[in-house]
Amino acid sequence: MHERIAIIAITDTGIALGHSLKSLLVADGFAGCELFSSRDSALAEPVESVPEFVRQSFGNFDAFVFIGSLGICVRSIAPVLQGKQCDPAVINCDELGRFVQSVLSGHAGGANALAGRVARLLGAQPVLSTSSDVQGLWPLDILGREEGWSVEFASPVAGETMTTAMSAFVNHEPTTLLLDVRDALTDRLERTAPPFVTIAYRYEEVDFSACCLLLAVTPRLIDAPVQAVFYRPKVLCVGVGSERGIDPARFVRSITAELAAAGLSPHSIRSVGSVDFKLDEEAFVAFAKACGVALTGFAPEQLESAGPVPNPSDVVFRKTGLHSVSEASAALLSGENRWLVEKQKVPLAGVPEGEPRHYTFAVSLLRGAERRGRIAIVGAGPGDPELVTVRGRRYLEQADLILYAGSLVPEKLTHYAKSGALVRSSASMPLEEQFALMEQFYRQGKFVVRLHTGDPSIYGAIQEQMTFFDAEGFEYEIVPGVSSFQAAAAVLQSQFTVPEKVQTIILTRGSGRTPVPGKERLSELARSRATMCIYLSAEWSNEVQAELLAHYPPETPVAVCYRLTWDDQQVWRGRLDGLSALVQESGKTRTLLLVVGEAIGARGGRSKLYDPSFTHGFREGHGA
């Protein structure tokens, strides 16, 4: 956001801090950072007068960082202030780097965020005084900016403005949050809504007699009877087709009006597309540019393979070999064979008969944005409930149904469930019964979490579930988890890759009741002497040991790990030639992980990454 930052140091001590801060900011990605001072110093660009420099350059920088007295900062910027929508961010830091205060343009200019960033770099205390930040409330004027949302204010009462809405919000006046679509940010808003905010998912649910402010995350045009802040997420995908050479200006005006008539905001348009031989159609290029997006072209065979469309055209097919342009383009852009607006054929007003005047358009909603059922396959981690990922825990807290692998996943993890959620163990349920339960919740528009041990992609048996979800057209995602092999490295206090000795980790299993391919037999994999983590193989420890000894030395370190990170975790260490005896000693046959390799407990060696003589993209090496 801040491409050019001016650091202004008032004193010699401030110059030293400013020089250090400049280096930290550049290393943190702020390449356009410069240090200025009216003091004579080789570390700073010289200026005759700080107030004069600020006057001349106030519009040339995205942010100003003053180091020194707050009074000097305020007096320097006061004569050049114009307004919160155009002033740059200004922050002030004392010359010892103890406090970093947001002074100006906290939200719109990003001063609050910059103050926090600088404070973290210096180990300082950020000082934020805007009411929403002090109270931990959403900043209404910039909410969704990083996600590309645009913001609009509307009110039936003359004189009310965005400032009025923000005042109502920070004063806890009854507010309704309308979440018409779903994405990661709307999920966060649901979780963090303050007590005075009521959440609705359809406009018809909003009780306007009980609220004075509406916050609406929607691509739809709404005429609310109270002051409202509309957030326009980029979720509309527009497909267009036309006769060749239609008038660009008329087209842009017409399709914008047609979208409004359909109740859709052009500010929510994410993409515009057509057949690839229309990429040079000036009207389409002009419309895409007006929407702030690039025009996307699809090859005819792509459009024909998009799936059935509601309004195929035999006339278009005879002319172009295509049954659909606008509807197929919208579907491909959105990833959904569903349409908010099916194909509309529109004549441009004011164009004489015989001249190019007709166009078509269709609109689809971005895949995943619709508020309907969804499924998350979540990795539970190795056992400790605190080792589930942040997203995994959040989904557990939101889920309406948690179906967990009860024989492998600690029941404690399900304690994150919200009140009223249904929690079931799948240990005794055949696959068909699991599908039936998940389908029931999904078709009701609810959120299902399928909780698997470790990382679901490693021996997680999720492929057959995804096949079912794909066949039914269900939305789902996979949330990675911490695998037990990673937990083993942590418990064994080992780095499984050792510079110049071991650079490969093999995750595998022995050949037991379910055979492994011949090329993946342990005796073949052992040739590399990599760090090997062997799952599901305790019952065949004699065979595992024999196959590994074909290539690993007998003294190779091994570890037998039982229920890593669980309350009853146990680990046995030894040599490879005693692996089978260790397994027998453990008395365990399930939830064991066997780890083999010289990396176990290894110390010594040094990576190139932090060697002072090694040069890489972020540091110049020095010395031998």
Side-chain angles (χ1 to χ4, degrees), residues 1-2 5 30 62-65 84-91 100-118 120 128 130 133 139 141-142 145-146:
M1 177 182 175
H2 299 114
I5 300 176
F30 296 92
D62 304 310
F64 286 80
V65 180
K84 64 187 300 182
Q85 297 305 319
C86 57
D87 288 333
V90 178
I91 67 175
V100 181
Q101 183 168 3
S102 174
V103 179
L104 182 71
S105 204
H107 288 163
N112 288 1
L114 183 60
R117 191 85 168 258
V118 169
R120 289 190 293 274
L128 308 178
T130 46
D133 290 278
D141 52 343
I142 60 169
R145 181 165 65 182
E146 292 184 0

Side-chain angles (χ1 to χ4, degrees), residues 41 145 204 290 305 327 435 450 460 482:
S41 172
R145 181 165 65 182
E204 294 75 18
S305 65
E327 287 178 333
F435 287 156
R450 182 68 174 101
V482 177

